[in-house]
Amino acid sequence: MSKIVIIGSISMDLVMETNRLAEAGETVFGSQFSMVPGGKGANQAVAIGRLSSKNDHVEMLGAVGNDQFASGLLENLSQNQVVSENVGTIPYSTGVAQITLYDNDNRIIYCPGANAKVDARNFDKEWDIIADADLVVLQNEISHQTNLAIAQFCHQKGIRVLYNPAPSRDTDIEMLEFVDVITPNEHEVKELFPHRDLEEIIKSYPNKLLVTLGTKGSIFFDGNDIQKIPAIKAKVVDTTGAGDTFNGAFGYAISKGLSFKEAVSFGTLASHLSVQGFGAQGGMPYLKEMKESAYYEKTWAIK
Ligand code: RIB
């Protein structure tokens, strides 16, 4: 049984597809508009929930507002095997991300709303839930101070923390000593360690610094060798949430006892499947779909 607690953002994604980006002061036509569940925290929770079994406990902590988006987002978590009963509802707006899909890629403007009000200083029951976890998953769409307080608490209690520093901020480096795995992408790692060579930095953090490189896969140091795990080619529908799927699936695999390298490959397969569906969560695979893939390794002992 895995007990995984994800603390982070829960947002509504307002997605506009377009064949042309607007210049300043210009209006262009979009071709399609959709509202779909998102938020890096909720996305990672759903990625884990879909892979989990009835014996696992996957719980989301965070906050939604008291507007028309809130109930649907909470319902979506429950439908994906994520416990959401301790997510707060506050008199504010729910987090929203405005996403433009253009030329097979996304551009996102994130407005935190209630996500910005998640504050560890107000935690009570939440500390007990966190203390009971075997893995805690964090990202950067809630405040740094809250993330830091949670990471320090977990570090003191010996609870593993998977930290995805997205989107990056100047304070990310303060998290490093308190987390077990940090997963920046190629841009975020440059902000974390400016002017340092990627392979040299990776060697300083064996089995801890895992850098995702988009279509080039991911890279980490296993203590002996640099490991480069290639991405699996896909017919891409939407890359939104691919990183969240990778992080969620990687964390889930680690909690199930797979080796670091196996967990990276497991996450790589999950994100390969996720980009073939629309929306951040639309293509996130269930364990059954993972097992049906030709890339699923029989040695991955996940029931
Ligand atoms: O990582 C993708 C997510 O980031 C989207 O679902 C959106 O909510 C953004 O904040």
Side-chain angles (χ1 to χ4, degrees):
M1 177 187 184
S2 298
K3 289 186 201 163
I4 305 179
V5 177
I6 304 92
I7 305 124
S9 57
I10 304 164
S11 307
M12 184 61 87
D13 288 353
L14 311 183
V15 188
M16 184 88 81
E17 296 170 61
T18 181
N19 297 322
R20 194 159 82 73
L21 292 175
E23 303 287 337
E26 188 192 20
T27 302
V28 296
F29 277 80
S31 52
Q32 187 84 31
F33 172 73
S34 321
M35 287 201 294
V36 287
K40 293 184 195 302
N43 292 344
Q44 295 182 17
V46 167
I48 297 170
R50 286 198 186 161
L51 296 166
S52 68
S53 73
K54 292 252 167 343
N55 294 329
D56 298 317
H57 180 85
V58 183
E59 176 147 7
M60 174 97 217
L61 297 177
V64 290
N66 59 351
D67 52 20
Q68 70 275 29
F69 294 146
S71 62
L73 294 176
L74 295 179
E75 178 61 27
N76 175 63
L77 289 170
S78 310
Q79 282 170 359
N80 286 288
Q81 285 79 252
V82 179
V83 175
S84 62
E85 63 194 37
N86 294 299
V87 169
T89 298
I90 57 170
Y92 209 61
S93 55
T94 298
V96 165
Q98 181 200 302
I99 303 183
T100 305
L101 289 186
Y102 167 74
D103 196 19
N104 268 338
D105 222 331
N106 60 65
R107 290 165 169 79
I108 303 180
I109 302 175
Y110 166 59
C111 192
N115 297 316
K117 306 282 180 193
V118 178
D119 189 335
R121 288 172 300 185
N122 301 327
F123 282 7
D124 179 17
K125 188 179 180 185
E126 288 86 348
W127 289 125
D128 296 333
I129 296 166
I130 294 168
D132 203 31
D134 20 72
L135 178 70
V136 163
V137 183
L138 300 171
Q139 325 73 31
N140 272 353
E141 289 188 335
I142 58 171
S143 80
H144 169 66
Q145 287 314 326
T146 289
N147 269 350
L148 188 61
I150 297 166
Q152 287 172 335
F153 175 85
C154 291
H155 186 66
Q156 200 190 11
K157 299 231 174 262
I159 301 161
R160 276 185 298 186
V161 176
L162 165 60
Y163 171 52
N164 174 221
S168 67
R169 50 190 169 204
D170 295 348
T171 44
D172 291 347
I173 199 77
E174 291 173 23
M175 294 285 287
L176 205 57
E177 72 172 287
F178 304 109
V179 303
D180 297 272
V181 183
I182 179 166
T183 57
N185 66 20
E186 53 197 317
H187 309 292
E188 290 149 4
V189 77
K190 282 186 193 145
E191 305 217 4
L192 202 55
F193 303 100
H195 317 299
R196 300 256 321 258
D197 173 70
L198 181 61
E199 297 206 355
E200 177 214 328
I201 315 156
I202 280 176
K203 280 187 175 162
S204 312
Y205 298 97
N207 291 328
K208 173 163 179 163
L209 177 59
L210 166 59
V211 181
T212 56
L213 305 168
T215 53
K216 296 193 287 300
S218 51
I219 182 167
F220 68 97
F221 180 60
D222 69 5
N224 293 311
D225 300 301
I226 295 231
Q227 296 284 350
K228 292 180 181 166
I229 309 294
I232 307 169
K233 276 218 166 76
K235 219 172 165 197
V236 175
V237 171
D238 184 359
T239 56
T240 314
D244 297 329
T245 309
F246 175 85
N247 275 279
F250 168 81
Y252 185 70
I254 286 286
S255 83
K256 288 290 167 194
L258 265 61
S259 71
F260 199 95
K261 188 176 178 186
E262 286 174 323
V264 175
S265 299
F266 188 85
T268 302
L269 173 55
S271 61
H272 158 77
L273 295 172
S274 82
V275 298
Q276 298 175 54
F278 175 80
Q281 300 174 12
M284 283 177 182
Y286 291 84
L287 187 59
K288 186 173 177 292
E289 294 167 71
M290 291 281 284
K291 289 187 171 175
E292 284 166 1
S293 164
Y295 298 99
Y296 193 88
E297 297 285 344
K298 299 280 176 292
T299 50
W300 296 341
I302 296 184
K303 294 207 181 80

